[in-house]
Amino acid sequence: MPSSRAFIALSSAALAARSVAALNPTCAPGGNFNLVPWELQLPIGNPGSPTTIPDTQLEGCSGYQQSTYFYTDSGDGAMVMYVPGGTENTGCVTTPNTHYCRTELRELDPATGKIVSWDPHAATNRLKATVLASAVDNGSHGTVIGQIHVDGNVSEYPIAKLQYAASGDIVLGVEDSIEDGGTTYHKVGNVPLNTKFSYEIRYENNVLSVGINGGAQQVFATSYDGPLSYFKAGNYNQGTTPSSIHFYSVSITH
C-alpha cells in the first residue's frame, strides 16, 4: 500500500481540478484548493521567525485557516491572503532577509512535504493562478502576487516577482543579478482593482516568461544561467498599507 503522502501526491490532479470548479465558502482554503505542494507563511510570530503552517495542516475542508490573514471568503469561497501593512506601522513579522511582511505560499515537494527546488532548464516549470486584489499596498509597484525565488543555498534573492498595483498595472520585476544587482521592471498588463484576472509564470528551458488572462507568454531576458529555483504565490506586501489578495485557483506544473 502507498503511504498517505504518496496517495495525496497521486491525487493532486484531482484536487487541482476543484480549484477551477465552484468554491465552497463553508470550507477552509484546503477544502477548495490543492495545498499539498505548499507551505504557508504568515505575518505573525516571533521577530525574525514568522509563523509557518505545513501542508499537512492546510489540507481539507477542516484544515487550517486564520480569521484575519488566511481564510475563505464567506461569499464566493475565494482563498483570502491579507497583510496589514509594514513592520514600522503594524508590527507584523518578517524573515531576517526582508523588511516586508507576507501571507504567502512556498512550494514544497508534494510527495514528501519537504522544501524543494527545480532546474529551470527542465521542459516544464509553471505557476498558474486566478486572483482578485481588493486592496493593494502603497509600494512603488504594489503587492507581489507570484514569484520565482532562487534556492536558499544559492542566493537569498528572487529571479522575478509579479506585482499588482492600485492603478491596475501588473509588473514583472526581473532581478538583474541574483547577487542583489538591482531589478528591471516590465509592465505586462493592466486590470482594474477588484477584477479577477489570471497569470501564468514560466521558467523552463532556461526561458522566463509571463502570460496574463491566457494571452501569449511575454519573454524576458535574464543575466544568469538558470539557478535552482522554486515558486511562491500569495500576498507579499511591499509598502505600509494593507493588501488583500483573493485566489480563485492556483496550481504548479513540472
Side-chain angles (χ1 to χ4, degrees):
M1 291 291 289
S3 69
S4 59
R5 179 168 291 283
F7 177 78
I8 288 169
L10 291 170
S11 303
S12 61
L15 287 167
R18 294 192 311 192
S19 67
V20 297
L23 302 175
N24 183 349
T26 68
C27 277
N32 289 315
F33 299 87
N34 175 20
L35 299 181
V36 172
W38 300 105
E39 175 185 79
L40 174 67
Q41 180 180 319
L42 296 167
I44 54 177
N46 297 315
S49 182
T51 297
T52 58
I53 308 298
D55 60 334
T56 51
Q57 293 183 29
L58 295 173
E59 298 162 17
C61 188
S62 59
Y64 177 86
Q65 58 181 329
Q66 204 279 345
S67 60
T68 300
Y69 304 110
F70 179 78
Y71 59 92
T72 296
D73 186 285
S74 61
D76 60 13
M79 175 170 58
V80 182
M81 300 190 195
Y82 175 82
V83 179
T87 56
E88 60 269 44
N89 62 318
T90 71
C92 60
V93 176
T94 74
T95 60
N97 295 324
T98 182
H99 300 294
Y100 302 114
C101 301
R102 70 186 87 197
T103 300
E104 190 177 42
L105 297 169
R106 193 262 196 232
E107 183 179 8
L108 301 176
D109 180 344
T112 66
K114 304 295 185 182
I115 296 298
V116 66
S117 295
W118 36 261
D119 183 359
H121 296 86
T124 306
N125 298 305
R126 302 180 182 184
L127 167 63
K128 299 175 68 174
T130 300
V131 301
L132 175 152
S134 61
V136 181
D137 66 62
N138 58 357
S140 298
H141 300 284
T143 304
V144 177
I145 57 176
Q147 60 175 309
I148 303 169
H149 206 284
V150 183
D151 182 279
N153 292 319
V154 178
S155 172
E156 64 184 55
Y157 296 102
I159 294 291
K161 298 181 291 188
L162 189 66
Q163 298 183 231
Y164 180 82
S167 64
D169 283 349
I170 308 167
V171 174
L172 185 71
V174 181
E175 293 298 299
D176 299 326
S177 166
I178 59 172
E179 298 175 350
D180 194 26
T183 306
T184 299
Y185 293 93
H186 309 269
K187 181 177 176 179
V188 296
N190 182 280
V191 175
L193 197 67
N194 287 303
T195 302
K196 286 184 190 178
F197 67 93
S198 63
Y199 69 77
E200 181 171 2
I201 304 173
R202 301 180 185 177
Y203 194 23
E204 54 194 36
N205 299 307
N206 201 26
V207 175
L208 173 66
S209 68
V210 172
I212 303 297
N213 282 335
Q217 291 292 120
Q218 303 173 56
V219 175
F220 301 93
T222 63
S223 60
Y224 26 83
D225 185 22
L228 291 175
S229 302
Y230 58 90
F231 287 122
K232 303 185 85 172
N235 177 357
Y236 182 19
N237 189 294
Q238 302 291 293
T240 59
T241 59
S243 51
S244 183
I245 307 298
H246 300 227
F247 277 75
Y248 294 88
S249 68
V250 60
S251 63
I252 295 171
T253 305
H254 292 299

